């Protein structure tokens, strides 16, 4: 019987959830109906933009200040490290807390009654947002999990070759190395200075590395060290002509660049929703092109689903269900802003500080700055200054938090849509002072 108090609450909440989900489907032309939360504030501010195109609204400080107002930012420091993970807007963290309380109250009743339905609803919603069929995506915990499912699940045998660059993220490199150690696949790593190459040269370098044994290429859409955008679609098209599959590491591109996943032409794509999507920490997404699902071995054994169903790859056991609701909130928030507008703003703020520093003595910008080759993330250094020391000075003397993830001579600057022009000016002034001391 579903007439007890708990069941009533579940169905009320489910109705609410599905209502929100339905609103999203309407949102392509009109913004969704929103509750009075941070998405709502951003939505209201967006109305004042009128007919502005994304490039015009990228510089509308009134609008972006209302976006900033949707976040509870630390007063201790300026956060230029969105590349690890981004804070959620207040409405997102409220959703996590409220839903955690509700789920905790209902406990196993919720899990048995509603959990799987809520996974399905959120997956549908995310599919609409990401521009792919729900049958091709899976909610995971992060990029590492998504791409390990792929790398470990590929049907490779001894002698089969995988190609990837030395700038790929370490967790993916070690996954391929484990397959080499255990099963004898061959890793062909590209040691190329991508930042000084044109996109044509980059595609050709991948092409030249291909042999008759090559089965798969791993490539980042945005390189985590420098923020460089790689020509993944061209790499995919070139590889497909030779029957080679491509895995795209989309850790930094999802909800950062406005591209839809299927538009990139990859066979597999993994991302972390806690990065540029601003969903709760510990949420991610895996995309597998429909016809590729059948041949992928599940990393976590499964007996529930047919071999051609993506759910066979998601037998993760029990995990926090309340995060699903906050993913839905992140979808609403991103839609209220609009991805094209978000991308334009992120590129604008990168250009804002880069153009003010590029010609300054001793400052070296390591990321290509053409619009199609970078967006928010950019690597910068000071001549002869250790990047760890630079990050330390920025934090201790100017309260600017950033890191040096490993690119020689550079710190990685990752502002976000909550960053203000005042913060960028403060950073520019700090770098000029530090460069003058060098
Ligand atoms: C390119 C790239 N891939 C994968 C990851 C791993 O992300 P996560 O720890 O969220 O799985 C990162 C993390 O920053 C990354 O930069």
């Amino acid at each position: 019987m579903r007439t007890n108090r708990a069941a009533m609450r579940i169905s009320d909440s489910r109705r609410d959830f599905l209502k929100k989900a339905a609103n999203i489907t309407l949102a392509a032309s009109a913004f969704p109906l929103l509750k009075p939360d941070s998405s709502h504030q951003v939505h209201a501010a967006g109305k004042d933009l009128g007919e502005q195109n994304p490039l015009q609204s990228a510089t509308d400080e009134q609008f972006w200040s209302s976006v900033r107002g949707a976040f509870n930012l630390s007063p201790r420091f300026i956060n230029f490290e969105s590349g690890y993970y981004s804070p959620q807007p207040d409405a997102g963290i409220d959703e996590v807390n409220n839903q955690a309380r509700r789920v905790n109250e209902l406990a196993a009743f919720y899990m048995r009654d509603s959990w799987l339905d809520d996974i399905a609803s959120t997956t549908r919603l995310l599919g609409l947002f990401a521009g792919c069929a729900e049958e091709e995506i899976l909610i995971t915990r992060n990029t590492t999990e998504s791409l390990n499912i792929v790398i470990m699940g590929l049907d490779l045998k001894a002698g089969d070759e995988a190609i990837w660059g030395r700038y790929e993220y370490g967790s993916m490199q070690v996954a391929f190395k484990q397959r080499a150690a255990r099963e004898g696949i061959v890793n062909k790593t590209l040691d190329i200075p991508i930042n000084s190459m044109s996109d044509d040269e980059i595609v050709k370098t991948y092409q030249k590395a291909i042999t008759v044994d090559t089965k798969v290429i791993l490539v980042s859409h945005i390189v985590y060290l420098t923020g460089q955008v790689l020509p993944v679609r061209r790499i995919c098209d070139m590889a497909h002509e030779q029957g080679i599959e491509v895995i795209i590491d989309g850790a930094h591109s999802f909800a950062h660049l406005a591209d839809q996943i299927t538009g990139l032409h990859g066979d597999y794509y993994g991302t972390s929703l806690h990065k540029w999507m601003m969903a709760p920490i510990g949420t991610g997404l895996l995309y597998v092109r429909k016809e590729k699902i059948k041949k992928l071995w599940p990393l976590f054994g499964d007996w529930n689903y047919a071999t051609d169903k993506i759910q066979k790859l998601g037998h993760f056991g029990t995990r926090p269900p309340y995060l699903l609701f906050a993913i839905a909130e992140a979808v609403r928030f991103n839609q209220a802003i609009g991805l094209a507008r978000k991308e334009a703003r992120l590129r604008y703020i990168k250009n804002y500080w880069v153009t003010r520093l590029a010609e300054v003595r001793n400052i070296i910008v390591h990321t290509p700055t053409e619009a199609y080759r970078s967006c928010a993330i950019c690597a910068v250094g000071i001549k002869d200054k250790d990047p760890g020391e630079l990050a330390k000075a920025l934090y201790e003397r100017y309260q600017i938090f950033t890191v040096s993830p490993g690119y020689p001579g550079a710190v990685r600057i990752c502002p976000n849509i909550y960053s203000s022009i005042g913060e960028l000016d403060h950073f520019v002034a700090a770098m000029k002072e530090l460069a003058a001391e060098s």
Side-chain angles (χ1 to χ4, degrees), residues 141 145 149 297-303 312-317:
R141 288 179 299 181
E145 182 167 73
I149 289 170
W297 283 96
L299 181 59
F300 304 86
D302 179 79
W303 63 85
K312 75 172 184 186
L313 303 172
H315 199 122
F316 305 128

Side-chain angles (χ1 to χ4, degrees), residues 269-286:
Y269 177 100
T271 193
S272 301
L273 300 175
H274 50 240
K275 292 187 187 285
W276 298 89
M277 180 73 183
M278 303 172 147
I281 190 158
T283 55
L285 177 144
L286 167 65

Side-chain angles (χ1 to χ4, degrees), residues 232-233 236-237 240 246 248 260-267 289:
V232 288
R233 182 175 167 145
C236 290
D237 291 346
H240 288 160
V246 183
I248 299 176
Q260 301 267 278
I261 294 177
T262 47
L264 302 174
H265 295 183
D267 301 286
R289 187 196 289 267

Side-chain angles (χ1 to χ4, degrees), residues 68 75-76 108 151 179 302 384 389 421:
R68 180 176 167 89
R76 276 184 49 201
I151 296 168
R179 291 212 63 175
D302 179 79
D384 298 331
E389 287 301 315
I421 295 298

Side-chain angles (χ1 to χ4, degrees), residues 83 142-145 169 172 220 222 224 249 251-252 272 274-275:
N142 48 52
T143 314
T144 306
E145 182 167 73
Y169 197 67
M172 314 318 148
S220 285
I222 295 185
Y224 78 101
D249 184 335
H252 289 288
S272 301
H274 50 240
K275 292 187 187 285

